[in-house]
Amino acid sequence: MNRLGFKYVTMIVYERSLDSEIPTVITKVPAEIKVLSKEDISSELFQGVILTSDDDGYSHQEALRKISEGDICLVVSVNNKPAGFGWIYTQKVKYEELFEAEIRLADSESLMYDRLVFPEFRRMGLGEKINEERLRLAQSMGFKKMLAYVEIDNVPSVKSIEALGFRKTKSVSCMRLFSLRKVFEKPISTRD
């Protein structure tokens, strides 16, 4: 539908205090998670591996740009084979293409975004493990709160986020018809 000039998307905004205990996720297979460096990206291990949703897997221009700008990528590996990734945003303003608006973060906030577990490694707890480690890393960096924007119909991500203690705070919707665009925010009651 986007090609016809119409777009409608709704995301749920979640937040979680980093002052409370972070649950430990047990995966179904042994997994290693590490922060991805520019040197890692150029290694043979990551040739042909997608490292961000808008990356090509070979030049990794988008992943390199994000790291250069201060974003942090955690990569999960199983038997030394990349199995997925998840990103953390720690700057103050992030433009979110999906709903065509800026996300503004307080000094004490960080943002989890763009997590993917490769198909052959799904249903093993790796996505939840990436989320756990992103929380722990942000906590160790002194952040007090983690935010996450999740598409309303992304059931696996919703379950993963909620299992780690995130709570819904609002919904953000974007409706666009050709060049006319409207973004709306609506608070979500916490009395569920």
Side-chain angles (χ1 to χ4, degrees):
M1 273 207 223
N2 200 10
R3 286 183 276 207
L4 298 174
F6 178 75
K7 176 181 186 177
Y8 184 80
V9 64
T10 298
M11 299 186 84
I12 302 297
V13 181
Y14 286 88
E15 68 178 45
R16 185 193 194 287
S17 170
L18 297 176
D19 292 334
S20 60
E21 185 178 338
I22 298 169
T24 300
V25 173
I26 306 298
T27 59
K28 294 180 181 176
V29 294
E32 179 187 346
I33 297 184
K34 70 178 222 165
V35 174
L36 185 70
S37 70
K38 289 180 181 181
E39 294 75 29
D40 293 330
I41 291 174
S42 62
S43 75
E44 206 173 289
L45 183 63
F46 292 101
Q47 285 303 303
V49 176
I50 300 293
L51 296 172
T52 181
S53 58
D54 40 7
D55 211 4
D56 69 9
Y58 291 95
S59 72
H60 297 295
Q61 289 179 345
E62 189 60 19
L64 288 166
R65 181 191 65 76
K66 288 179 178 184
I67 290 172
S68 293
E69 292 177 358
D71 293 12
I72 301 166
C73 181
L74 293 179
V75 175
V76 62
S77 299
V78 174
N79 295 326
N80 205 33
K81 182 177 180 188
F85 60 82
W87 288 82
I88 301 173
Y89 190 82
T90 60
Q91 298 159 62
K92 302 302 160 236
V93 180
K94 180 178 187 340
Y95 181 78
E96 177 53 62
E97 266 186 55
L98 199 56
F99 60 87
E100 302 178 15
E102 289 182 341
I103 299 170
R104 296 194 175 276
L105 301 174
D107 289 342
S108 62
E109 297 174 333
S110 57
L111 173 73
M112 295 185 351
Y113 75 100
D114 200 10
R115 185 198 80 184
L116 177 69
V117 175
F118 304 137
E120 65 267 30
F121 297 103
R122 291 185 181 154
R123 300 188 188 281
M124 297 178 187
L126 300 177
E128 290 82 1
K129 191 67 174 176
I130 292 169
N131 286 344
E132 173 200 342
E133 293 302 323
R134 290 194 287 183
L135 290 171
R136 291 191 191 288
L137 181 58
Q139 185 182 55
S140 74
M141 295 171 70
F143 289 100
K144 301 294 181 201
K145 186 186 295 182
M146 180 70 83
L147 302 177
Y149 285 65
V150 180
E151 282 188 81
I152 198 164
D153 58 352
N154 186 341
V155 175
S157 289
V158 167
K159 286 182 178 180
S160 176
I161 293 284
E162 290 178 353
L164 285 170
F166 280 81
R167 64 179 183 81
K168 299 176 189 177
T169 60
K170 64 183 172 180
S171 66
V172 179
S173 299
C174 173
M175 184 170 29
R176 182 174 38 80
L177 181 59
F178 300 107
S179 64
L180 302 172
R181 177 180 64 88
K182 177 75 175 165
V183 175
F184 349 19
E185 291 187 14
K186 180 180 154 191
I188 294 176
S189 171
T190 57
R191 287 184 263 141
D192 302 307

